[in-house]
Amino acid sequence: MPEPLPSQEITTRTHTAEILANARRDTERYGLDEIFIVDVDSHHAELNSWRDIIGYVEDPVLRDTAEQMMVHRPQAGQLALSNYKAGLAFQDAGSRIPHQSGLAEPVPVDGNPRDVELVRRAMDAMSIDVQVVFPQPMLEIGLHPEPGIAVQLMKAYNRWFVEQILPGDPRIKTMLGLPFEDPAACVETIREFGDHPDVIGFLVTSQRHAGVHRNEYLRIYAELEERGLPLGFHAGPSWQDSMTATMNRFLSVHAMSFVTCNMTHLTNWIVNGLPERFPGLRTIWIESGLAWIPFMMQRLDHEYLMRQSEAPLLKQLPSDYMRQMYYTSQPMEITDLKLLEATFHAMDAENTLLYSSDWPHWDFDVPGRVMSIPFLDDTAKRNILGGNARKVFGL
Amino acid sequence: MTLSAPRPTSSVVARSSDVAEGGRYVVAVRDDLHIGLFRFRGRLYAYENTCPHQGGPVCQGRLVDGVRERLDAHRHSLGLAFDEDDPHIVCPWHGFEYRITTGEHPGAPRFRLRSFAVTEENGEISVAL
């Protein structure tokens, strides 16, 4: 009689290796162990370490406020000072996708935070050689009602991550979030951590209402360009803006807001000629999928040709600048292969696309997703899975 | 001369008591073939534990009734409700749902679980492999 599987139902407490056991089949089918795979976007659960992170808040009054919250409010140990939004709790589709709810599996204590071991397990299960790890709710920090608190929390998180997570495994890398509410603090952050070998770039968390073209930010871009470090724009959800506030389902909110935040920043970036002003600065658009790219190329080219006087710094079409930028692959919208192929052609995906898993989120992509695309040759697949990232990050 | 396809062989994979009414039982028939058995209103169903979307362990997901949106005579929405006549298995990787009774995605039937003929006799459950 055949044996039953040890886990009849996968839950939040199931071991990552068991959740991702089927991904190992792709490893054998596609020979993934022989391919250099860089995952440019994955996540760990910083709220599980929130008490520790709060300890890194520099402002003594704010830190005390948070510590008092954690003493006197039962749930503040994972939320104090944060702007965690209720919408985020809908991401697991009513617990239909448990790994989105949380990875609550047992992890032996070996001196590292449990997140290091969880990242290792995911990398091993998906044959990933290098994984760029980001936080989760901290990606919404740009919507915090008080900019001063947002700056303090981002700085505390960054220092905690560099000191507590990065030393845990040389395969773990990150692009640290910039405290974008304070341009001077951004430059300080780049100068403090820019030489760290595992900090391979910096990040604007895209859910924010800031014109990224404004003069006050330019010294940030100059600093990054001079150091040869890329700037990422990481998308996120918002159920509170004027568009998504009309929506009644998280499906709708996610479909739109993860894309429109990056569409907004990319538009400002190009129309204001930042690719001409910072030609050596590489930009990466993270976690907005791919379907928006050909739309933006056509839309911006169409408008630019009629209104050149509003974008006089441009020397090429907007779509030409877009082909000189980089994009992470997830969530790859594979519902119409002809449209996907046209998208890959339009964006020169062989040279601009960077594989990303987004693990452990509900719409993650395994590396086999790239290997299964029928119109890509072997060189293109290897570029997307790791070759392009090796070039962008100098790995 | 025509060659006929090899006849599937029937293999015992579980005892009847392993699959409760309304429940599931996932077994490793071979290293590369895991099968989920489901029993709904007395009838057994058998599907491969591989989601046609990205290969996730679909049979190890949440068992939950399909969701319907109720409309009144004027087509106003009255909200959502579970349909007890249409249980679903949900792939835990990405949430793709499939009808237990057909193996089809309820919104896009071109996504369909690989199914196996299943029989039950003398307290044992067999699938045709």
Side-chain angles (χ1 to χ4, degrees), chain A residues 12-64:
Chain A
T12 56
R13 298 192 61 77
T14 306
H15 195 292
T16 296
E18 192 174 353
I19 301 172
L20 292 171
N22 284 9
R24 294 302 301 173
R25 295 182 188 174
D26 286 347
T27 300
E28 295 161 17
R29 181 185 309 156
Y30 298 122
L32 294 178
D33 281 342
E34 305 305 316
I35 297 175
F36 180 62
I37 300 178
V38 181
D39 177 359
V40 181
D41 178 26
S42 69
H43 299 272
H44 78 106
E46 74 274 23
L47 293 188
N48 292 337
S49 305
W50 200 243
R51 286 181 185 278
D52 296 336
I53 293 168
I54 287 297
Y56 281 78
V57 171
E58 291 174 352
D59 183 317
V61 177
L62 203 55
R63 188 173 64 248
D64 178 69

Short mmCIF file of all heavy atoms in Angstrom, two decimals, chain A residues 12-64:
data_model
loop_
_atom_site.label_atom_id
_atom_site.label_comp_id
_atom_site.label_asym_id
_atom_site.label_seq_id
_atom_site.Cartn_x
_atom_site.Cartn_y
_atom_site.Cartn_z
N THR A 12 0.44 26.99 7.46
CA THR A 12 1.52 27.94 7.76
C THR A 12 2.67 27.25 8.52
O THR A 12 3.77 27.79 8.55
CB THR A 12 1.01 29.11 8.62
OG1 THR A 12 0.41 28.58 9.81
CG2 THR A 12 -0.01 29.93 7.86
N ARG A 13 2.42 26.09 9.09
CA ARG A 13 3.46 25.42 9.87
C ARG A 13 4.21 24.37 9.06
O ARG A 13 5.11 23.70 9.58
CB ARG A 13 2.85 24.80 11.13
CG ARG A 13 2.23 25.84 12.07
CD ARG A 13 1.90 25.25 13.42
NE ARG A 13 3.07 24.73 14.12
CZ ARG A 13 3.96 25.48 14.75
NH1 ARG A 13 3.84 26.79 14.77
NH2 ARG A 13 4.98 24.91 15.35
N THR A 14 3.87 24.19 7.81
CA THR A 14 4.57 23.21 6.97
C THR A 14 5.97 23.71 6.62
O THR A 14 6.17 24.91 6.36
CB THR A 14 3.76 22.98 5.67
OG1 THR A 14 2.43 22.61 6.02
CG2 THR A 14 4.38 21.86 4.85
N HIS A 15 6.94 22.81 6.61
CA HIS A 15 8.33 23.14 6.28
C HIS A 15 8.40 23.67 4.85
O HIS A 15 7.78 23.12 3.93
CB HIS A 15 9.19 21.88 6.42
CG HIS A 15 10.66 22.14 6.47
ND1 HIS A 15 11.38 22.60 5.38
CD2 HIS A 15 11.57 22.00 7.48
CE1 HIS A 15 12.65 22.71 5.71
NE2 HIS A 15 12.80 22.36 6.98
N THR A 16 9.19 24.74 4.67
CA THR A 16 9.32 25.34 3.33
C THR A 16 9.72 24.30 2.28
O THR A 16 9.21 24.32 1.15
CB THR A 16 10.37 26.47 3.37
OG1 THR A 16 9.88 27.51 4.22
CG2 THR A 16 10.63 27.05 1.99
N ALA A 17 10.61 23.38 2.65
CA ALA A 17 11.06 22.37 1.68
C ALA A 17 9.89 21.49 1.23
O ALA A 17 9.86 21.04 0.08
CB ALA A 17 12.16 21.50 2.30
N GLU A 18 8.94 21.28 2.12
CA GLU A 18 7.79 20.46 1.75
C GLU A 18 6.80 21.29 0.91
O GLU A 18 6.23 20.78 -0.06
CB GLU A 18 7.10 19.91 3.00
CG GLU A 18 6.11 18.83 2.67
CD GLU A 18 5.52 18.18 3.92
OE1 GLU A 18 5.99 18.47 5.04
OE2 GLU A 18 4.57 17.40 3.76
N ILE A 19 6.60 22.55 1.29
CA ILE A 19 5.73 23.40 0.48
C ILE A 19 6.23 23.46 -0.96
O ILE A 19 5.46 23.39 -1.92
CB ILE A 19 5.67 24.84 1.06
CG1 ILE A 19 5.15 24.83 2.49
CG2 ILE A 19 4.80 25.73 0.18
CD1 ILE A 19 5.28 26.21 3.18
N LEU A 20 7.55 23.57 -1.10
CA LEU A 20 8.14 23.77 -2.42
C LEU A 20 8.70 22.48 -3.02
O LEU A 20 9.50 22.53 -3.96
CB LEU A 20 9.25 24.83 -2.33
CG LEU A 20 8.77 26.25 -2.02
CD1 LEU A 20 9.95 27.18 -1.72
CD2 LEU A 20 7.95 26.80 -3.18
N ALA A 21 8.28 21.33 -2.48
CA ALA A 21 8.82 20.05 -2.96
C ALA A 21 8.66 19.90 -4.47
O ALA A 21 9.55 19.40 -5.15
CB ALA A 21 8.16 18.89 -2.22
N ASN A 22 7.53 20.34 -4.99
CA ASN A 22 7.31 20.18 -6.44
C ASN A 22 8.26 21.03 -7.27
O ASN A 22 8.49 20.74 -8.44
CB ASN A 22 5.86 20.51 -6.79
CG ASN A 22 4.91 19.39 -6.40
OD1 ASN A 22 5.31 18.44 -5.72
ND2 ASN A 22 3.66 19.49 -6.84
N ALA A 23 8.82 22.08 -6.67
CA ALA A 23 9.78 22.91 -7.41
C ALA A 23 11.06 22.13 -7.69
O ALA A 23 11.78 22.41 -8.65
CB ALA A 23 10.10 24.19 -6.64
N ARG A 24 11.34 21.12 -6.84
CA ARG A 24 12.54 20.31 -7.07
C ARG A 24 12.42 19.53 -8.38
O ARG A 24 13.43 19.17 -8.99
CB ARG A 24 12.77 19.34 -5.91
CG ARG A 24 13.09 19.98 -4.57
CD ARG A 24 14.32 20.85 -4.62
NE ARG A 24 15.54 20.13 -5.03
CZ ARG A 24 16.70 20.73 -5.27
NH1 ARG A 24 16.81 22.04 -5.15
NH2 ARG A 24 17.75 20.04 -5.62
N ARG A 25 11.19 19.23 -8.78
CA ARG A 25 11.01 18.52 -10.06
C ARG A 25 11.53 19.37 -11.21
O ARG A 25 12.09 18.86 -12.17
CB ARG A 25 9.54 18.20 -10.29
CG ARG A 25 8.96 17.24 -9.27
CD ARG A 25 7.51 16.96 -9.63
NE ARG A 25 6.86 16.19 -8.57
CZ ARG A 25 5.57 15.90 -8.55
NH1 ARG A 25 4.80 16.31 -9.54
NH2 ARG A 25 5.04 15.21 -7.56
N ASP A 26 11.31 20.70 -11.11
CA ASP A 26 11.83 21.60 -12.13
C ASP A 26 13.35 21.57 -12.15
O ASP A 26 13.98 21.69 -13.20
CB ASP A 26 11.37 23.04 -11.88
CG ASP A 26 9.90 23.25 -12.22
OD1 ASP A 26 9.32 22.36 -12.88
OD2 ASP A 26 9.35 24.29 -11.82
N THR A 27 13.95 21.44 -10.97
CA THR A 27 15.41 21.40 -10.89
C THR A 27 15.95 20.25 -11.72
O THR A 27 16.91 20.40 -12.48
CB THR A 27 15.85 21.24 -9.42
OG1 THR A 27 15.35 22.36 -8.69
CG2 THR A 27 17.35 21.17 -9.30
N GLU A 28 15.29 19.10 -11.61
CA GLU A 28 15.75 17.94 -12.39
C GLU A 28 15.37 18.10 -13.86
O GLU A 28 16.18 17.84 -14.75
CB GLU A 28 15.12 16.67 -11.80
CG GLU A 28 15.60 16.39 -10.38
CD GLU A 28 14.69 15.44 -9.62
OE1 GLU A 28 13.87 14.75 -10.27
OE2 GLU A 28 14.78 15.40 -8.38
N ARG A 29 14.16 18.54 -14.11
CA ARG A 29 13.68 18.63 -15.50
C ARG A 29 14.51 19.60 -16.32
O ARG A 29 14.84 19.35 -17.47
CB ARG A 29 12.22 19.08 -15.49
CG ARG A 29 11.58 19.18 -16.89
CD ARG A 29 10.17 19.74 -16.79
NE ARG A 29 9.37 19.02 -15.82
CZ ARG A 29 8.30 19.54 -15.20
NH1 ARG A 29 7.92 20.78 -15.44
NH2 ARG A 29 7.61 18.82 -14.34
N TYR A 30 14.87 20.73 -15.73
CA TYR A 30 15.55 21.79 -16.48
C TYR A 30 17.04 21.91 -16.14
O TYR A 30 17.71 22.79 -16.67
CB TYR A 30 14.88 23.13 -16.20
CG TYR A 30 13.43 23.20 -16.61
CD1 TYR A 30 12.44 23.49 -15.67
CD2 TYR A 30 13.04 23.00 -17.94
CE1 TYR A 30 11.10 23.58 -16.03
CE2 TYR A 30 11.71 23.07 -18.31
CZ TYR A 30 10.74 23.37 -17.36
OH TYR A 30 9.42 23.45 -17.72
N GLY A 31 17.55 21.06 -15.28
CA GLY A 31 18.96 21.16 -14.89
C GLY A 31 19.28 22.48 -14.21
O GLY A 31 20.32 23.08 -14.46
N LEU A 32 18.40 22.93 -13.33
CA LEU A 32 18.56 24.27 -12.73
C LEU A 32 19.82 24.38 -11.87
O LEU A 32 20.35 25.48 -11.70
CB LEU A 32 17.32 24.63 -11.91
CG LEU A 32 16.02 24.81 -12.69
CD1 LEU A 32 14.87 25.13 -11.74
CD2 LEU A 32 16.17 25.91 -13.74
N ASP A 33 20.29 23.25 -11.32
CA ASP A 33 21.48 23.33 -10.48
C ASP A 33 22.70 23.75 -11.28
O ASP A 33 23.71 24.18 -10.71
CB ASP A 33 21.73 21.98 -9.79
CG ASP A 33 20.84 21.78 -8.58
OD1 ASP A 33 20.30 22.79 -8.08
OD2 ASP A 33 20.67 20.63 -8.14
N GLU A 34 22.63 23.62 -12.60
CA GLU A 34 23.76 24.00 -13.45
C GLU A 34 23.63 25.44 -13.94
O GLU A 34 24.47 25.92 -14.70
CB GLU A 34 23.84 23.05 -14.66
CG GLU A 34 23.93 21.58 -14.30
CD GLU A 34 25.08 21.29 -13.36
OE1 GLU A 34 26.18 21.82 -13.60
OE2 GLU A 34 24.87 20.56 -12.37
N ILE A 35 22.56 26.12 -13.57
CA ILE A 35 22.33 27.49 -14.06
C ILE A 35 22.47 28.47 -12.91
O ILE A 35 21.97 28.22 -11.80
CB ILE A 35 20.91 27.59 -14.68
CG1 ILE A 35 20.80 26.66 -15.90
CG2 ILE A 35 20.59 29.04 -15.09
CD1 ILE A 35 19.42 26.60 -16.50
N PHE A 36 23.16 29.59 -13.16
CA PHE A 36 23.33 30.63 -12.13
C PHE A 36 22.02 31.41 -12.03
O PHE A 36 21.60 32.07 -12.99
CB PHE A 36 24.48 31.55 -12.54
CG PHE A 36 24.74 32.67 -11.55
CD1 PHE A 36 25.14 32.40 -10.25
CD2 PHE A 36 24.60 34.00 -11.94
CE1 PHE A 36 25.39 33.43 -9.35
CE2 PHE A 36 24.86 35.04 -11.04
CZ PHE A 36 25.25 34.74 -9.75
N ILE A 37 21.37 31.27 -10.87
CA ILE A 37 20.05 31.89 -10.69
C ILE A 37 20.13 32.95 -9.60
O ILE A 37 20.53 32.67 -8.46
CB ILE A 37 18.98 30.84 -10.33
CG1 ILE A 37 18.87 29.79 -11.45
CG2 ILE A 37 17.63 31.51 -10.09
CD1 ILE A 37 17.88 28.68 -11.17
N VAL A 38 19.76 34.16 -9.97
CA VAL A 38 19.66 35.27 -9.01
C VAL A 38 18.19 35.64 -8.88
O VAL A 38 17.53 35.92 -9.89
CB VAL A 38 20.47 36.50 -9.49
CG1 VAL A 38 20.38 37.62 -8.46
CG2 VAL A 38 21.92 36.11 -9.74
N ASP A 39 17.71 35.64 -7.68
CA ASP A 39 16.33 36.04 -7.40
C ASP A 39 16.37 37.49 -6.91
O ASP A 39 16.84 37.76 -5.80
CB ASP A 39 15.76 35.11 -6.33
CG ASP A 39 14.35 35.47 -5.91
OD1 ASP A 39 13.81 36.47 -6.44
OD2 ASP A 39 13.80 34.77 -5.05
N VAL A 40 15.91 38.41 -7.73
CA VAL A 40 16.10 39.84 -7.45
C VAL A 40 15.00 40.41 -6.55
O VAL A 40 15.05 41.58 -6.17
CB VAL A 40 16.23 40.63 -8.78
CG1 VAL A 40 16.46 42.11 -8.55
CG2 VAL A 40 17.41 40.09 -9.59
N ASP A 41 14.03 39.60 -6.18
CA ASP A 41 12.97 40.13 -5.30
C ASP A 41 12.36 38.99 -4.49
O ASP A 41 11.64 38.16 -5.02
CB ASP A 41 11.89 40.81 -6.14
CG ASP A 41 10.73 41.36 -5.30
OD1 ASP A 41 10.96 41.66 -4.11
OD2 ASP A 41 9.62 41.48 -5.84
N SER A 42 12.67 38.97 -3.20
CA SER A 42 12.03 38.03 -2.28
C SER A 42 11.84 38.77 -0.95
O SER A 42 12.29 39.91 -0.81
CB SER A 42 12.90 36.79 -2.07
OG SER A 42 14.07 37.15 -1.34
N HIS A 43 11.18 38.13 -0.01
CA HIS A 43 10.80 38.85 1.19
C HIS A 43 11.00 38.02 2.45
O HIS A 43 10.91 36.80 2.43
CB HIS A 43 9.33 39.29 1.10
CG HIS A 43 9.09 40.19 -0.06
ND1 HIS A 43 9.25 41.56 0.01
CD2 HIS A 43 8.75 39.92 -1.35
CE1 HIS A 43 9.01 42.09 -1.18
NE2 HIS A 43 8.70 41.13 -2.02
N HIS A 44 11.24 38.72 3.53
CA HIS A 44 11.22 38.10 4.85
C HIS A 44 10.21 38.89 5.69
O HIS A 44 9.78 39.98 5.30
CB HIS A 44 12.61 38.12 5.49
CG HIS A 44 12.97 39.45 6.08
ND1 HIS A 44 12.99 39.69 7.43
CD2 HIS A 44 13.27 40.63 5.47
CE1 HIS A 44 13.31 40.97 7.62
NE2 HIS A 44 13.50 41.55 6.45
N ALA A 45 9.83 38.30 6.83
CA ALA A 45 8.76 38.90 7.64
C ALA A 45 9.35 39.70 8.77
O ALA A 45 9.60 39.19 9.87
CB ALA A 45 7.85 37.79 8.18
N GLU A 46 9.58 40.99 8.51
CA GLU A 46 10.25 41.82 9.52
C GLU A 46 9.40 42.03 10.77
O GLU A 46 9.93 42.31 11.85
CB GLU A 46 10.68 43.17 8.93
CG GLU A 46 9.56 44.18 8.68
CD GLU A 46 8.90 44.00 7.34
OE1 GLU A 46 8.98 42.89 6.78
OE2 GLU A 46 8.31 44.98 6.83
N LEU A 47 8.08 41.90 10.66
CA LEU A 47 7.25 42.13 11.85
C LEU A 47 7.51 41.08 12.93
O LEU A 47 7.26 41.32 14.11
CB LEU A 47 5.77 42.16 11.48
CG LEU A 47 5.32 43.35 10.62
CD1 LEU A 47 3.80 43.36 10.49
CD2 LEU A 47 5.81 44.69 11.17
N ASN A 48 8.02 39.89 12.52
CA ASN A 48 8.37 38.88 13.53
C ASN A 48 9.56 39.33 14.37
O ASN A 48 9.81 38.76 15.44
CB ASN A 48 8.70 37.54 12.85
CG ASN A 48 7.46 36.92 12.24
OD1 ASN A 48 6.34 37.23 12.63
ND2 ASN A 48 7.65 36.05 11.26
N SER A 49 10.32 40.29 13.87
CA SER A 49 11.50 40.79 14.60
C SER A 49 11.30 42.24 15.02
O SER A 49 12.27 42.96 15.28
CB SER A 49 12.74 40.68 13.69
OG SER A 49 12.92 39.38 13.22
N TRP A 50 10.05 42.66 15.09
CA TRP A 50 9.77 44.09 15.26
C TRP A 50 10.34 44.65 16.56
O TRP A 50 10.85 45.78 16.59
CB TRP A 50 8.27 44.34 15.17
CG TRP A 50 7.94 45.77 14.85
CD1 TRP A 50 7.25 46.64 15.64
CD2 TRP A 50 8.29 46.50 13.67
NE1 TRP A 50 7.14 47.87 15.01
CE2 TRP A 50 7.78 47.81 13.81
CE3 TRP A 50 9.00 46.17 12.51
CZ2 TRP A 50 7.96 48.79 12.83
CZ3 TRP A 50 9.18 47.14 11.54
CH2 TRP A 50 8.66 48.43 11.71
N ARG A 51 10.29 43.86 17.64
CA ARG A 51 10.85 44.35 18.91
C ARG A 51 12.34 44.67 18.75
O ARG A 51 12.83 45.67 19.27
CB ARG A 51 10.66 43.32 20.02
CG ARG A 51 9.25 43.21 20.53
CD ARG A 51 9.14 42.17 21.65
NE ARG A 51 7.75 42.01 22.03
CZ ARG A 51 7.11 42.82 22.87
NH1 ARG A 51 7.77 43.83 23.43
NH2 ARG A 51 5.85 42.62 23.15
N ASP A 52 13.04 43.80 18.05
CA ASP A 52 14.48 44.01 17.85
C ASP A 52 14.71 45.25 16.99
O ASP A 52 15.62 46.03 17.24
CB ASP A 52 15.11 42.79 17.17
CG ASP A 52 15.03 41.56 18.06
OD1 ASP A 52 14.91 41.73 19.29
OD2 ASP A 52 15.05 40.44 17.52
N ILE A 53 13.90 45.39 15.94
CA ILE A 53 14.07 46.53 15.04
C ILE A 53 13.80 47.84 15.78
O ILE A 53 14.53 48.82 15.61
CB ILE A 53 13.15 46.37 13.81
CG1 ILE A 53 13.62 45.17 12.98
CG2 ILE A 53 13.13 47.64 12.96
CD1 ILE A 53 12.64 44.73 11.90
N ILE A 54 12.78 47.86 16.59
CA ILE A 54 12.47 49.07 17.38
C ILE A 54 13.67 49.47 18.23
O ILE A 54 13.95 50.65 18.44
CB ILE A 54 11.21 48.85 18.23
CG1 ILE A 54 9.96 48.84 17.35
CG2 ILE A 54 11.10 49.91 19.33
CD1 ILE A 54 9.68 50.14 16.63
N GLY A 55 14.41 48.48 18.69
CA GLY A 55 15.61 48.78 19.49
C GLY A 55 16.65 49.57 18.72
O GLY A 55 17.56 50.16 19.32
N TYR A 56 16.56 49.57 17.40
CA TYR A 56 17.51 50.30 16.55
C TYR A 56 17.03 51.71 16.22
O TYR A 56 17.73 52.44 15.52
CB TYR A 56 17.74 49.54 15.23
CG TYR A 56 18.70 48.37 15.36
CD1 TYR A 56 18.30 47.16 15.90
CD2 TYR A 56 20.01 48.49 14.92
CE1 TYR A 56 19.18 46.09 16.00
CE2 TYR A 56 20.90 47.44 15.02
CZ TYR A 56 20.47 46.24 15.56
OH TYR A 56 21.37 45.20 15.65
N VAL A 57 15.85 52.11 16.67
CA VAL A 57 15.37 53.48 16.40
C VAL A 57 16.27 54.47 17.13
O VAL A 57 16.48 54.35 18.34
CB VAL A 57 13.89 53.64 16.85
CG1 VAL A 57 13.48 55.11 16.79
CG2 VAL A 57 12.98 52.79 15.98
N GLU A 58 16.82 55.44 16.40
CA GLU A 58 17.81 56.36 16.98
C GLU A 58 17.17 57.39 17.91
O GLU A 58 17.71 57.68 18.98
CB GLU A 58 18.55 57.09 15.85
CG GLU A 58 19.47 56.19 15.05
CD GLU A 58 20.07 56.93 13.87
OE1 GLU A 58 19.65 58.08 13.58
OE2 GLU A 58 20.95 56.35 13.20
N ASP A 59 16.05 57.94 17.51
CA ASP A 59 15.39 58.99 18.29
C ASP A 59 14.94 58.41 19.64
O ASP A 59 14.08 57.52 19.69
CB ASP A 59 14.18 59.49 17.49
CG ASP A 59 13.46 60.63 18.17
OD1 ASP A 59 13.28 60.55 19.40
OD2 ASP A 59 13.07 61.58 17.48
N PRO A 60 15.52 58.90 20.76
CA PRO A 60 15.23 58.25 22.06
C PRO A 60 13.78 58.42 22.49
O PRO A 60 13.23 57.52 23.15
CB PRO A 60 16.19 58.96 23.03
CG PRO A 60 16.52 60.27 22.37
CD PRO A 60 16.46 60.02 20.89
N VAL A 61 13.16 59.51 22.12
CA VAL A 61 11.78 59.74 22.53
C VAL A 61 10.84 58.82 21.73
O VAL A 61 9.94 58.18 22.27
CB VAL A 61 11.39 61.22 22.34
CG1 VAL A 61 9.93 61.43 22.71
CG2 VAL A 61 12.29 62.10 23.20
N LEU A 62 11.10 58.75 20.45
CA LEU A 62 10.28 57.88 19.61
C LEU A 62 10.47 56.41 20.01
O LEU A 62 9.52 55.62 20.07
CB LEU A 62 10.68 58.08 18.14
CG LEU A 62 9.66 57.71 17.08
CD1 LEU A 62 8.34 58.43 17.29
CD2 LEU A 62 10.23 58.03 15.69
N ARG A 63 11.73 56.04 20.29
CA ARG A 63 12.00 54.66 20.71
C ARG A 63 11.26 54.35 22.02
O ARG A 63 10.67 53.29 22.17
CB ARG A 63 13.51 54.45 20.86
CG ARG A 63 13.87 52.98 21.10
CD ARG A 63 15.38 52.76 21.08
NE ARG A 63 16.06 53.44 22.17
CZ ARG A 63 16.88 54.47 22.03
NH1 ARG A 63 17.17 54.93 20.83
NH2 ARG A 63 17.44 55.05 23.08
N ASP A 64 11.29 55.30 22.94
CA ASP A 64 10.57 55.10 24.20
C ASP A 64 9.07 54.97 23.97
O ASP A 64 8.40 54.14 24.58
CB ASP A 64 10.86 56.26 25.15
CG ASP A 64 10.08 56.10 26.46
OD1 ASP A 64 10.42 55.18 27.24
OD2 ASP A 64 9.10 56.85 26.67
#
